[in-house]
Amino acid sequence: MGMESYNFLLVPYDSQVTIEDDVVDYVGGERIPFSKAVEAILSIKWIRAYVPPDVATRKNIECYYAYSDGTGIVEIEINAGIFEMEGIEEISVRLAVTSNEETFKVAISICKILNKQLRMKTIDMRLGEEIDVTNDFRLRTSQQAFEKKKRKFYEMYSLPYNCITEPMNCGKAFFEALRGK
């Protein structure tokens, strides 16, 4: 997980998950047909296909989507950007660490919808554990972890807290925007 983003990982509901040193390992769980995952993702308002600027090869661009309503951006990546005919095992939902509270809530909403439609569960990569996105207490814990990472980011770059207000993508685009390119 990059320092510029906050990540959620969705995996099949019936898989067994272990997390150690930011590495998620899961066993079992039924793969989801790629077309079903894409259909569920595109059913969410404001989500469109997206090509990250740092994708080296264009052969797997069908794995990338982004929610963008003009006030926030949430990126969605299927199977770590690898198209597999056998189906998908994971979906990454991420937002820039400089995002506002509303964008965080949108990311959670996307996780809720995909969990329900695709029978998946959500792992908060910062917490290093599965979270129940229907439990307000667990969501507050996740949001607090997001805010803590956000504060650390601003401190690390010696920036005033919340000085970045425009919606930002993750990865290479984030750092280019930070440098003013």
Side-chain angles (χ1 to χ4, degrees):
M1 173 172 59
M3 66 181 171
E4 86 286 358
S5 64
Y6 198 87
N7 298 44
F8 297 100
L9 186 67
L10 283 63
V11 298
Y13 186 78
D14 54 349
S15 61
Q16 298 298 315
V17 178
T18 57
I19 304 167
E20 193 172 309
D21 298 325
D22 284 339
V23 176
V24 178
D25 188 28
Y26 44 94
V27 179
E30 197 171 312
R31 285 182 177 241
I32 298 154
F34 191 87
S35 60
K36 185 177 179 180
V38 169
E39 184 180 310
I41 290 166
L42 289 175
S43 74
I44 302 169
K45 187 177 181 178
W46 300 107
I47 291 185
R48 303 285 180 267
Y50 163 70
V51 180
D54 52 352
V55 170
T57 175
R58 299 288 186 229
K59 69 180 180 181
N60 291 311
I61 59 173
E62 63 272 1
C63 294
Y64 296 94
Y65 299 86
Y67 166 95
S68 180
D69 65 357
T71 63
I73 297 171
V74 178
E75 295 178 3
I76 298 147
E77 179 184 55
I78 298 173
N79 262 8
I82 301 168
F83 177 81
E84 293 183 16
M85 289 299 292
E86 307 85 52
I88 69 158
E89 293 182 305
E90 65 182 39
I91 298 174
S92 175
V93 176
R94 59 184 171 252
L95 61 150
V97 74
T98 57
S99 296
N100 59 32
E101 181 180 339
E102 289 308 311
T103 303
F104 179 87
K105 289 178 181 178
V106 166
I108 292 295
S109 175
I110 291 169
C111 291
K112 284 180 184 178
I113 292 167
L114 296 179
N115 281 356
K116 185 175 181 180
Q117 289 187 13
L118 302 174
R119 281 191 32 85
M120 299 186 95
K121 57 186 171 184
T122 300
I123 298 165
D124 181 316
M125 294 300 292
R126 181 67 175 182
L127 293 175
E129 59 190 49
E130 181 183 334
I131 60 166
D132 178 354
V133 293
T134 63
N135 180 306
D136 289 340
F137 176 75
R138 294 302 296 146
L139 292 179
R140 276 192 301 277
T141 303
S142 185
Q143 188 165 0
Q144 289 169 349
F146 167 71
E147 287 295 331
K148 184 176 179 181
K149 183 174 182 178
K150 183 176 182 175
R151 287 190 185 284
K152 275 184 149 178
F153 173 84
Y154 280 104
E155 288 171 10
M156 182 171 52
Y157 284 98
S158 300
L159 296 169
Y161 186 71
N162 276 343
C163 69
I164 301 170
T165 56
E166 71 270 12
M168 297 182 67
N169 290 96
C170 301
K172 182 179 177 183
F174 179 90
F175 290 105
E176 286 177 354
L178 193 62
R179 285 190 215 81
K181 290 186 177 180

